[in-house]
Amino acid sequence: MPDAPAVTGFTANAVDSTSVTFSWDDVLANKSGFSYGVGMLQSNAADAVVNSWKIADNTQTSLKWDGLQPNTEYRFAIAAVKNGSTTETGIRSAIITVKTMPDGMTMTVSGPAADAAEGSDLGYDFSVERTAGSHLTLSAIGHVKQLGADDSETGLAPTYMWYRKGRGETEFKLVGADGNLAAGTASKLEIDLTADDDGAQYYCHVGYNDVGLDTGTTLVNIEAEETAPTTVNATPIRTRRLFSQASAGAKKFLDHTLVNTAGPTDSEGSKDSETPETPTNPDKPKSDNGAKTDTKVKTTTTAKDLANTGDQTFALVTTAAAAGATLVVIALIMLIKRRKTH
């Protein structure tokens, strides 16, 4: 069924000599018309035939399969089924192999739990979010018990094997193991997280002799690094540059105007011998071209100051005023020359 979601997180959590308990992720909560189907398969082949099914409704995330033989190996898978009927199924999960315990023995596993307190009940954290550079501790525990003839229980110590699969990898790889822990002691996997752990998956295989159960799979998500927001306001920078350029342009325009309207230089010779030299302030020294040195220096200094100032409004107003004043001076000089000519 193309519209049926794949069921994830399928694992066996508990087993005794005649039964196995399964659990899985809740993927059908918002899917009406579907149920969960747990099937017992003839072999480990991908196209293996299902011998029998057990159905759980779409609100369940666990199921117990009873009536099995002691010390016997079985294979199971899960899929979404249409309206409780196994004639139509969704994508089948990976096959898990479970061996029942000998008579009088039971085994349960829990975890992995993330950063759990010592001695606490280890829940199953299917997903954790941490920052790169932080430390993560995953814990898992298996309880293997032997039931005595007098109904007494003896705790046995299982072995632990930790597996990891990185983002984009196709197979889980062994990354840690514990085999000398006392009964009832949790196994821990210590991880110094890096950016490469984003999307990595971890699980623990708990075994006793040739019987083993896998914990659930924990997905690690690395949080994006938090940085202070950087706002680059390009407009003021560009505007300041434009005003600076305008001020520099005004300076160049004023220099050019003052030189060309102050009279001929010595090298150019007199173009109009009747044109009187522009009056100057006798208290101020003249420049070589006869222009007012104080006026030119003042204008240059003002333009330079405007080019370096950050006050854009002041630069605009002053530049406009300087340009306007220059136009007035030019108009007056042209009027005087025109009247002199006529």
Side-chain angles (χ1 to χ4, degrees):
M1 295 182 298
D3 55 341
V7 183
T8 57
F10 182 56
T11 188
N13 300 98
V15 61
D16 56 29
S17 59
T18 59
S19 65
V20 179
T21 302
F22 302 100
S23 65
W24 54 85
D25 297 335
D26 184 9
V27 300
L28 298 180
N30 299 318
K31 289 279 189 179
S32 59
F34 291 98
S35 304
Y36 296 103
V38 178
M40 181 188 292
L41 289 79
Q42 288 182 348
S43 70
N44 284 321
D47 58 350
V49 175
V50 177
N51 290 332
S52 58
W53 292 88
K54 286 188 180 295
I55 306 300
D57 64 39
N58 64 357
T59 62
Q60 293 180 240
T61 55
S62 63
L63 178 144
K64 186 176 182 180
W65 197 301
D66 295 308
L68 304 176
Q69 297 297 313
N71 205 28
T72 303
E73 189 173 271
Y74 295 91
R75 291 155 295 277
F76 300 92
I78 191 172
V81 297
K82 192 68 173 288
N83 296 318
S85 172
T86 58
T87 57
E88 294 182 90
T89 67
I91 298 174
R92 198 163 69 187
S93 71
I95 300 171
I96 61 175
T97 301
V98 181
K99 188 174 183 180
T100 56
M101 302 294 286
D103 281 325
M105 294 185 68
T106 62
M107 182 176 185
T108 61
V109 296
S110 58
D115 295 329
E118 187 70 30
S120 64
D121 183 28
L122 300 182
Y124 168 41
D125 292 319
F126 68 92
S127 178
V128 296
E129 190 170 13
R130 298 289 189 274
T131 58
S134 62
H135 189 80
L136 172 66
T137 302
L138 294 179
S139 301
I141 192 168
H143 295 285
V144 181
K145 297 180 181 179
Q146 174 68 62
L147 183 63
D150 58 354
D151 293 334
S152 62
E153 292 183 348
T154 302
L156 305 175
T159 58
Y160 300 88
M161 301 178 70
W162 288 93
Y163 291 86
R164 178 189 188 275
K165 182 173 72 172
R167 182 187 294 276
E169 296 179 351
T170 58
E171 296 182 356
F172 281 91
K173 299 177 181 178
L174 181 67
V175 292
D178 278 324
N180 56 353
L181 301 177
T185 303
S187 173
K188 296 182 179 181
L189 180 67
E190 306 288 348
I191 309 167
D192 291 319
L193 295 170
T194 68
D196 291 338
D197 282 301
D198 187 42
Q201 300 178 61
Y202 293 86
Y203 78 88
C204 185
H205 176 80
V206 185
Y208 183 78
N209 291 338
D210 59 346
V211 178
L213 294 176
D214 294 337
T215 65
T217 301
T218 295
L219 172 66
V220 177
N221 297 297
I222 300 298
E223 298 176 359
E225 183 178 356
E226 293 186 7
T227 57
T230 302
T231 302
V232 179
N233 191 343
T235 301
I237 297 175
R238 177 173 175 78
T239 305
R240 190 179 301 115
R241 185 179 297 114
L242 291 176
F243 276 113
S244 178
Q245 293 170 352
S247 300
K251 170 188 177 300
K252 183 177 180 182
F253 173 75
L254 290 175
D255 291 345
H256 176 78
T257 301
L258 290 172
V259 170
N260 291 339
T261 59
T265 64
D266 293 341
S267 60
E268 290 175 342
S270 176
K271 294 181 181 179
D272 187 353
S273 58
E274 297 182 0
T275 303
E277 184 179 330
T278 304
T280 61
N281 187 342
D283 298 329
K284 301 290 183 179
K286 295 182 180 180
S287 64
D288 291 342
N289 60 13
K292 289 184 179 180
T293 304
D294 62 324
T295 304
K296 182 176 181 181
V297 171
K298 184 176 181 181
T299 303
T300 302
T301 302
T302 304
K304 182 178 180 181
D305 292 341
L306 291 176
N308 294 329
T309 186
D311 191 339
Q312 301 165 7
T313 304
F314 180 77
L316 175 62
V317 173
T318 308
T319 302
T326 303
L327 291 176
V328 171
V329 172
I330 294 172
L332 289 175
I333 293 173
M334 293 180 65
L335 179 61
I336 292 172
K337 293 179 67 175
R338 180 180 179 81
R339 292 184 63 182
K340 184 69 176 176
T341 302
H342 293 288

